[in-house]
Amino acid sequence: MVGPDEPPAGRSREDEEAIHWAQLTEVLRQQEIVVDALQLKQLPHDVELSERLLARIRRGGDTDVS
């Protein structure tokens, strides 16, 4: 997960961001890692794409996902 999705109708970008970070802190809490959403938000993170996704991008993003 990279970041919050675009908000649906009736929800602000701020609402969507708060939900995103709350969900991530809950996943961590279930792993017995207690972190505040603000602390989590401030951590640097890298996104690593799988070889499968990179190959798909190189092919031009065809819709075959097998």
Side-chain angles (χ1 to χ4, degrees):
M1 178 176 294
V2 177
D5 293 330
E6 288 298 314
R11 240 182 355 216
S12 70
R13 183 173 294 277
E14 291 78 17
D15 292 339
E16 199 67 21
E17 187 173 322
I19 291 167
H20 169 76
W21 293 110
Q23 289 172 334
L24 290 179
T25 57
E26 177 59 22
V27 169
L28 290 171
R29 188 195 63 72
Q30 292 173 10
Q31 301 296 316
E32 299 181 4
I33 301 170
V34 179
V35 64
D36 178 89
L38 182 58
Q39 293 170 312
L40 188 59
K41 182 179 175 180
Q42 293 173 346
L43 291 175
H45 67 277
D46 296 321
V47 176
E48 295 184 19
L49 304 179
S50 69
E51 284 302 318
R52 181 177 167 200
L53 180 56
L54 290 170
R56 185 172 177 183
I57 292 169
R58 287 190 287 270
R59 286 193 312 265
D62 62 19
T63 57
D64 182 279
V65 293
S66 56

